[in-house]
Amino acid sequence: MSVPMEVSSVHGSDAAAEDKVLVPVEVCLKSSSAARVDDVRPAVERMLEKRSLSYTDGPIRVPTEDAFLAENVQSIRICEADEGTQEHGVLLFWQVKPVVHVFQLSEEGPCEELTTDGQLSSFHEWTLPAKEFDGMWESLIYEPGLKKRLLRYAQSALLFTEKGVDPFLVSWNRIILLHGPPGTGKTSLCKALAQKLSIRFNSRYPQCQLIEVNAHSLFSKWFSESGKLVARLFQKIQEMVEEDNNLVFVLIDEVESLAAARKSALSGSEPSDSIRVVNALLTQMDKLKSSPNVVILTTSNITAAIDIAFVDRADIKAYVGPPTLHARYEILRSCLLELMRTGIVSNIKELDMFSIPSYASVQGRVMPVQDLEMADLCNALVEAADACEGLSGRSLRKLPFLTHASLAEPQWCNPVKFLQKMTDTAKRERSELPD
């Protein structure tokens, strides 16, 4: 949310006659809070009604003057208001109907079960929303539209199932496939999507779990054991989905290994047990289609190797490639702001996330001449993003650290000089990439 807006009372009556823009508001409770969701939601709604502000994406201050909210609420975040601003320009409070989602983060961490022979199982289990995934969705930066597309798909898939749409007339499988080169954040995006959906659907599904499967681990060197691993995995999932109020996400990482195993088996180079395991896995996934509270998330690093039998099952197949100039700029902008916040890089004017212009604002590198200091900063940021072409998102997130480690005098650094050094570091990292 931004600066207060002076709005006359007539606007309120006009808005009553119009359809308001639905804007999600995510409210995270403190770990110590025992407040009921049904008490927190109306308290937040009343607080939002009193604030005559415009709506923009990002966190807003928890009001200290409201003792109930101050005691129980950790953070409040406005989400997806940008969709309304595209249509209405500045999105004012009287144009908005906030949809408040109240949640509490689980601090349990991943659960690893031991098999009967003492070996670690082939999957990890999280209770969602999980503390370690908090903020992950917001930190992932891609081309505009990708995250919105995935979120809308998953919401529609769950809605169609919830409303009892006949699957013989309208077909959907609740399976997402993200494919592309390593280091582009596919697995993180799947986890962040599961976290986001666990928050958005918590009124319908108060319990949510994420089961992360490493497809490689399903193929034991003792092939007779592979079938048992698959059976154990889906027995666990089946127990979860039997609870109507439980939403289950199954993440299968590097799903191309299923195709590789079946191809080897068909060519006769692997025991026939391997193809039975793959077929059993695909059959079990088909069975989950009848359960309304399951979403299957998959990733692949090798697009050409994905089994066509699996590709056909996926409703949405999204390519996640290396970050574009737009995405690189935004990633580096978020990194720079974090280093300024922590004091590692000097802050030129008490900047926040919205003080450094977005990439859309600096296309063509045109900056207001009255703010030469900011113009220099943005130009240096664009040059650094240019120099990072070909680097993965994972490498981009490491770049600020590598830059700082290369400084002769790291104890104080001007942000423009830091970005200039980052450009040099990026060029060196690119030169060391394997052909």
Side-chain angles (χ1 to χ4, degrees):
M1 300 178 95
S2 59
V3 296
M5 298 287 180
E6 294 295 331
V7 183
S8 65
S9 59
V10 69
H11 284 145
S13 60
D14 290 342
E18 298 175 357
D19 289 334
K20 294 191 175 185
V21 179
L22 300 180
V23 174
V25 179
E26 296 179 355
V27 179
C28 179
L29 296 179
K30 294 179 179 179
S31 59
S32 58
S33 174
R36 296 170 62 247
V37 169
D38 290 341
D39 293 331
V40 176
R41 185 182 294 112
V44 172
E45 290 171 348
R46 287 193 297 270
M47 180 271 291
L48 293 172
E49 288 175 1
K50 294 177 182 177
R51 296 169 64 92
S52 301
L53 303 175
S54 63
Y55 273 67
T56 54
D57 288 0
I60 62 173
R61 183 182 66 87
V62 179
T64 54
E65 61 274 15
D66 187 319
F68 176 72
L69 292 181
E71 180 182 355
N72 292 286
V73 174
Q74 180 70 39
S75 64
I76 303 174
R77 174 177 288 274
I78 305 296
C79 305
E80 299 162 38
D82 59 325
E83 296 184 35
T85 57
Q86 292 172 7
E87 182 178 348
H88 297 82
V90 176
L91 194 59
L92 303 178
F93 72 97
W94 48 266
Q95 297 172 301
V96 171
K97 177 175 175 52
V99 182
V100 178
H101 303 278
V102 183
F103 65 97
Q104 199 164 30
L105 295 171
S106 168
E107 300 183 0
E108 294 179 7
C111 174
E112 275 187 326
E113 296 185 16
L114 292 175
T115 61
T116 53
D117 59 1
Q119 299 297 314
L120 289 176
S121 67
S122 54
F123 59 88
H124 297 150
E125 177 188 346
W126 278 270
T127 298
L128 298 179
K131 185 176 182 179
E132 61 194 285
F133 301 152
D134 185 37
M136 182 183 287
W137 179 264
E138 289 74 23
S139 71
L140 295 171
I141 300 172
Y142 299 98
E143 274 295 276
L146 175 60
K147 293 198 297 183
K148 188 183 302 180
R149 177 190 174 199
L150 293 175
L151 187 58
R152 285 179 172 175
Y153 157 77
Q155 290 173 331
S156 294
L158 290 170
L159 176 66
F160 272 46
T161 305
E162 185 69 21
K163 294 296 185 180
V165 175
D166 189 337
F168 293 107
L169 299 177
V170 180
S171 179
W172 73 102
N173 293 326
R174 298 189 305 281
I175 298 177
I176 295 173
L177 170 61
L178 302 183
H179 59 97
T184 53
K186 298 181 297 296
T187 304
S188 295
L189 183 54
C190 285
K191 292 178 178 178
L193 178 62
Q195 174 95 341
K196 183 65 69 173
L197 291 169
S198 72
I199 294 170
R200 297 292 175 86
F201 283 87
N202 65 351
S203 59
R204 170 62 183 87
Y205 299 104
Q207 299 177 41
C208 293
Q209 270 82 33
L210 170 65
I211 300 291
E212 182 182 15
V213 182
N214 187 323
H216 285 294
S217 69
L218 293 176
F219 301 102
S220 169
K221 64 179 180 179
W222 310 107
F223 280 100
S224 61
E225 294 296 314
S226 297
K228 295 179 182 178
L229 291 175
V230 173
R232 179 182 175 83
L233 167 65
F234 280 92
Q235 180 183 1
K236 177 75 173 179
I237 296 172
Q238 194 58 47
E239 291 172 358
M240 291 179 172
V241 300
E242 287 174 357
E243 298 287 338
D244 290 341
N245 63 350
N246 195 21
L247 181 57
V248 180
F249 300 93
V250 181
L251 169 56
I252 304 178
D253 216 7
E254 299 181 356
V255 75
E256 70 271 9
S257 62
L258 303 180
R262 187 146 83 167
K263 184 177 181 181
S264 297
L266 290 173
S267 65
S269 59
E270 295 287 353
S272 60
D273 184 68
S274 180
I275 193 170
R276 285 199 297 269
V277 170
V278 177
N279 287 340
L281 186 59
L282 294 174
T283 300
Q284 292 289 347
M285 289 172 63
D286 287 341
K287 287 182 179 179
L288 287 178
K289 183 178 178 180
S290 62
S291 300
N293 51 337
V294 181
V295 177
I296 298 176
L297 311 165
T298 65
T299 72
S300 174
N301 292 333
I302 310 172
T303 306
I306 307 173
D307 194 325
I308 189 63
F310 179 80
V311 172
D312 284 345
R313 286 167 168 80
D315 297 323
I316 188 168
K317 298 166 276 287
Y319 177 75
V320 183
T324 61
L325 178 60
H326 182 159
R328 296 196 300 271
Y329 177 96
E330 295 297 343
I331 290 171
L332 295 182
R333 180 170 77 121
S334 67
C335 292
L336 182 63
L337 287 164
E338 177 62 13
L339 295 183
M340 289 180 173
R341 184 190 69 81
T342 56
I344 291 176
V345 173
S346 60
N347 194 333
I348 59 176
K349 51 176 62 180
E350 294 301 317
L351 294 170
D352 58 38
M353 176 60 80
F354 302 104
S355 295
I356 298 181
S358 66
Y359 177 76
S361 301
V362 298
Q363 282 181 324
R365 306 186 189 186
V366 177
M367 290 297 299
V369 294
Q370 64 268 27
D371 195 348
L372 295 178
E373 193 173 25
M374 181 61 74
D376 289 342
L377 177 62
C378 288
N379 285 336
L381 191 53
V382 172
E383 289 174 8
D386 271 333
C388 292
E389 184 176 4
L391 295 182
S392 68
R394 184 182 299 157
S395 298
L396 282 171
R397 291 291 182 187
K398 292 179 183 177
L399 193 61
F401 168 77
L402 296 176
T403 301
H404 188 269
S406 67
L407 293 174
E409 297 181 358
Q411 62 272 17
W412 186 91
C413 190
N414 175 277
V416 173
K417 291 182 178 179
F418 185 82
L419 288 170
Q420 291 170 345
K421 186 66 175 179
M422 185 183 292
T423 299
D424 296 336
T425 305
K427 291 177 180 178
R428 186 188 71 231
E429 289 297 302
R430 286 177 58 190
S431 69
E432 295 175 351
L433 289 173
D435 295 331

